[in-house]
């Protein structure tokens, strides 16, 4: 039964992200180089809410600089010593082609696994392993990229941070806190997702 539900949810997300040929259903791409939250239509929002995915799904649009050769996704887990440990990710490369634009979507699972999709001229799907924790999560906070941002090649752009704790209090955070991991020192579990647009197809 769980597999059927998971398959249904995956199909629904793929339908939401699919780029169709008609202007009416084509995704809203950025008109200038950068990265920004994807502008959901009312029907998109309704679909996500109907599936109970509106709080655990993040979709962003990107239009990379012309000399971009690859897009790399990194998923991190904050270690006890306050450093980020890479736990998964994925990459799409252009080779000799020019131009990289599309959407990036991620869906958070109940077992702390993350499914994500890079949708450009093709679609690439990835997922991370589930995490086993020995405590009950009482408080949580999820922060996503909230406004347009220019792309600097070869520099990480944090697009999501998920904070979980067994205590009954939770601070206020932003995606930029990725660069100051000490802010999460008292939290039990912290995950982060970043994007890197590079000028090297093999980086």
């Amino acid at each position: 039964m769980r597999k059927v539900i998971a398959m249904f949810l995956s199909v629904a997300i793929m339908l939401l992200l699919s780029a169709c040929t008609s202007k009416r259903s084509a995704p809203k791409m950025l008109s200038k180089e950068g990265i920004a939250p994807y502008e959901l239509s009312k029907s998109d929002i309704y679909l996500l809410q109907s599936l109970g995915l509106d709080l655990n799904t993040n979709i962003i649009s990107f239009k990379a600089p012309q000399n971009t050769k690859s897009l790399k996704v990194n998923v991190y887990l904050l270690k006890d010593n306050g450093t980020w440990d890479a736990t998964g990710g994925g990459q799409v490369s252009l080779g000799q082609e020019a131009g990289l634009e599309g959407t990036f979507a991620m869906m958070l699972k109940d077992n702390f696994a993350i499914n994500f999709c890079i949708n450009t001229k093709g679609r690439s799907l990835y997922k991370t392993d589930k995490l086993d924790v020995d405590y009950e999560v009482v408080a949580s906070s999820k922060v996503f990229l909230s406004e347009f941002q220019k792309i600097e090649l070869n520099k990480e752009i944090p697009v999501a941070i998920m904070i979980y704790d067994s205590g009954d209090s939770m601070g206020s955070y932003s995606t930029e806190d990725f660069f100051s991991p000490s802010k999460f020192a008292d939290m039990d579990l912290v995950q982060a997702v970043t994007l890197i647009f590079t000028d090297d197809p093999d980086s």
Side-chain angles (χ1 to χ4, degrees):
M1 184 66 179
R2 287 182 181 176
K3 289 184 178 179
V4 173
I5 293 173
M7 185 180 302
F8 173 73
L9 293 178
S10 297
V11 169
I13 290 296
M14 291 308 103
L15 287 174
L16 176 65
L17 299 175
S18 294
C20 301
T21 55
S22 67
K23 289 184 180 180
R24 180 180 174 189
S25 57
K28 307 174 197 73
M29 293 295 108
L30 293 178
S31 59
K32 58 182 178 179
E33 293 178 357
I35 185 170
Y38 180 80
E39 294 182 25
L40 294 168
S41 67
K42 288 183 179 179
S43 59
D44 293 336
I45 295 171
Y46 178 78
L47 175 60
L48 288 175
Q49 289 176 339
S50 298
L51 296 172
L53 301 175
D54 52 316
L55 299 179
N56 291 317
T57 302
N58 183 37
I59 307 172
I60 60 177
S61 298
F62 59 85
K63 183 171 185 174
Q66 283 299 310
N67 52 342
T68 300
K69 293 299 181 183
S70 73
L71 167 57
K72 184 176 182 182
V73 181
N74 288 320
V75 179
Y76 294 103
L77 181 66
L78 188 62
K79 296 167 60 176
D80 291 339
N81 64 4
T83 60
W84 293 109
D85 181 38
T87 59
Q91 181 172 345
V92 293
S93 299
L94 284 180
Q96 300 302 313
E97 299 176 39
L100 180 62
E101 63 180 306
T103 57
F104 168 79
M106 55 176 284
M107 183 166 64
L108 308 178
K109 311 293 283 184
D110 290 338
N111 56 12
F112 308 106
I114 302 173
N115 293 355
F116 59 94
C117 169
I118 303 171
N119 192 11
T120 55
K121 295 177 181 177
R123 188 178 301 125
S124 302
L125 303 173
Y126 304 89
K127 63 180 179 178
T128 65
D129 294 330
K130 67 178 182 178
L131 299 178
D132 295 318
V133 299
D134 56 1
Y135 50 82
E136 180 183 1
V137 173
V138 176
S140 66
S141 178
K142 301 175 180 88
V143 291
F144 301 120
L145 181 78
S146 60
E147 57 187 17
F148 176 86
Q149 187 173 330
K150 289 185 177 180
I151 295 172
E152 291 184 46
L153 289 179
N154 308 310
K155 181 179 178 181
E156 281 190 290
I157 302 172
V159 295
I161 298 180
M162 290 69 66
I163 308 102
Y164 306 93
D165 195 64
S166 56
D168 58 2
S169 64
M170 178 65 59
S172 177
Y173 303 100
S174 74
T175 54
E176 288 303 302
D177 290 332
F178 171 80
F179 300 108
S180 303
S182 60
K183 291 188 176 182
F184 308 108
D186 297 328
M187 299 293 101
D188 289 326
L189 174 64
V190 183
Q191 296 171 290
V193 179
T194 69
L195 303 183
I196 307 176
F197 296 85
T198 79
D199 54 10
D200 181 355
D202 300 317
S203 64

